[in-house]
Amino acid sequence: MTNTTLQYYTSKHTNTMHSHIPFHYNAMTKPRTLNLTFFMQDIQIFEIFLAVLVFLLIHSLRQKRLHGLVVWPVLGMVPSLVTGLRTNLYEWITEALKRQNGTFRFKGPCFSNLNCIVTADPRNMEHLLKTKFPLFPKGGYFRNTVRDLLGDGIFNADDDTWQKQRKIASIEFHSTKFRQLTTESLFELVHYRLLPVLEASVKKSVAIDLQDILLRLTFDNVCMIAFGVDPGCLRLGLPKIPFAKAFEDATEATVFRFVTPTCVWKAMRLLNLGVERKLKKSIKGVDEFAENVIRTRKKELSLQCEDTKNRSDLLTVFMRLKDENGRPYSDKFLRDICVNFILAGRDTSSVALSWFFWLLEQNPEVEENILAEICMLVSQRNDIKREEFDNSLRFRPEEIKKMDYLHAALSEALRLYPSVPVDHKEVVKDDTFPDGTVLKKGTKVIYAIYAMGRMESIWGKDWKEFKPERWLRDGRFMSESAYKFTAFNGGPRLCLGKDFAYYQMKYAAASIIFRYRVKVVENHPVEPKLALTMYMKHGLKVNLYRRDVAQIHRHLGRVQIN
């Protein structure tokens, strides 16, 4: 190879090598540069996302300090509400109210029906239930939500419709015939149904669901009063009554409408889906029962027999009356009247008694005081005999009325576990609460009765204690203001059946306590159920034990019994 050739070859090879080196270098480094660019972009996106997240968190916490609950963009307080629904909604509301000194504004999504004022302030209660009563009706939202079940009955009605029903019912509730009907029917149910059912469980040594038993008792009782019929729920063997099951399912399904956007539940109703399908089916069962009773009663009244002339149940009373046009009330109106009174009379007393017996087991000294009061009152009879005292005691109405400590204990149970835990109003004209809360027309107001019983500002530092003595003055029961203790509502809508409810609860409670010790089954879960009334979610499973006669005689002291 010549030098020229060698130079050519070397030059060509060198140029070739040099020309390839930059090529290989670019191919290797370009992806790295791109990866680095993308990595830097990822860091920037992450930083932006983190900054937004921190901002939302700080903003939400600031909103929580201002409003009591975290307020999320678009969703408002709904995420917090979901948490409440998954735990104990009534406790969740209570804690929010405590953080906000008794009143807070719930903010839902702007497209929802969940925006409202929630309050447990006694000043506000008196304002909306009494002072400015005309400005706070039930309102269109409430009526539309529960109309499928309650129709235009007294619970759901406003204005003239409500006033008309209340006036007629008030006259009947205070009539001698009606009072006699209620006391006689209760006496029969307690002694010939309730006590035999309880005694059967003792003999068999089996646990029973006391809440179910009490619901059957009050259901039979209120059907006798409202319809003048005996459904026979509380019989040995505890038969299934389709109407009772349908009624309970309907009340449970109805309450879910209050925590569901209106457009959603109306769409579900239209498509017959989910809870709305259950509600439709259960209301059909309620309607069938009511229609059958109304049809039967009309036939009885047309015969004009002596038995129908003496009837004093609400259905018969309303059937004998005329509307503003001089015509008999429609079957739909009669159905609504009776269904509303069943809701009022069945659930409230039985639910209150269930919580009462649960609290009583945790406070044996209260049970002992109630037993002492019962024995003291009965021992004052001139004609009492030992055998009657031991085995077949029947309380007299005047004795029940004098049971002040028992009355106080039941009130204390209702303070902590009111049968109706929350209620609803709607503002029809701009107004302002005494605590300064501004109310715009159309605002929904929720007054939290459950929360009121847990406010230290209302009941003092010992609010957690089950303490009947807080209701007594020199041994006599003294009621609290209806705007502090709102278990029976207040103002013009104060519960018409309040006196009867106390009599019913006292009679049933005294009859049980005198004969049995009630012990809740170990590890039985007790928590409230989300419904129109505050059922125990899992019932109240208990074992009953016969009361030791020696314990009763100890309370008699030196009283001589023949």
Side-chain angles (χ1 to χ4, degrees), residues 548-559:
D548 185 358
V549 176
Q551 183 185 15
I552 293 174
H553 288 168
R554 274 200 309 273
H555 289 295
L556 295 177
R558 299 175 181 175
V559 177

Side-chain angles (χ1 to χ4, degrees), residues 150-212:
L150 299 182
D152 296 312
I154 194 167
F155 259 5
N156 197 29
D158 280 321
D159 304 325
D160 292 342
T161 305
W162 166 76
Q163 288 180 352
K164 177 175 60 179
Q165 293 181 49
R166 185 175 176 91
K167 182 180 178 179
I168 296 170
S170 180
I171 293 170
E172 290 308 311
F173 269 58
H174 294 94
S175 70
T176 303
K177 288 179 70 174
F178 188 82
R179 287 177 179 272
Q180 187 177 357
L181 170 66
T182 57
T183 53
E184 288 178 356
S185 61
L186 181 61
F187 177 89
E188 294 289 325
L189 286 169
V190 168
H191 291 287
Y192 298 108
R193 294 194 190 171
L194 175 64
L195 295 178
V197 166
L198 299 182
E199 184 61 22
S201 74
V202 173
K203 289 179 179 177
K204 295 177 183 178
S205 299
V206 295
I208 57 170
D209 182 353
L210 187 58
Q211 178 176 255
D212 177 58

Side-chain angles (χ1 to χ4, degrees), residues 356-452:
F356 166 76
F357 277 106
W358 178 68
L359 288 164
L360 208 60
E361 194 212 15
Q362 300 172 58
N363 297 271
E365 71 285 355
V366 174
E367 181 180 10
E368 195 73 15
N369 290 339
I370 293 171
L371 186 61
E373 179 180 63
I374 292 170
C375 292
M376 182 271 292
L377 286 168
V378 177
S379 67
Q380 293 175 0
R381 295 183 186 180
N382 296 324
D383 56 347
I384 190 72
K385 294 181 180 180
R386 184 172 295 278
E387 309 84 61
E388 181 184 358
F389 200 90
D390 290 348
N391 303 314
S392 55
L393 184 67
R394 306 288 193 270
F395 296 116
R396 298 169 181 173
E398 61 272 19
E399 291 168 344
I400 294 295
K401 291 174 183 176
K402 291 178 181 178
M403 293 180 184
D404 286 289
Y405 190 86
L406 176 56
H407 198 120
L410 286 164
S411 298
E412 186 70 345
L414 280 165
R415 174 181 73 85
L416 291 168
Y417 296 97
S419 299
V420 179
V422 296
D423 211 338
H424 179 280
K425 295 285 188 180
E426 192 169 308
V427 185
V428 295
K429 183 180 177 182
D430 289 0
D431 195 30
T432 304
F433 268 153
D435 69 356
T437 303
V438 176
L439 305 168
K440 294 294 183 182
K441 181 181 177 180
T443 301
K444 293 185 286 293
V445 178
I446 305 297
Y447 52 106
I449 303 167
Y450 177 93
M452 287 189 74

Side-chain angles (χ1 to χ4, degrees), residues 60-73:
S60 298
L61 291 174
R62 185 181 293 119
Q63 291 294 307
K64 184 175 181 179
R65 284 195 298 271
L66 291 173
H67 303 291
L69 292 171
V70 175
V71 183
W72 297 97

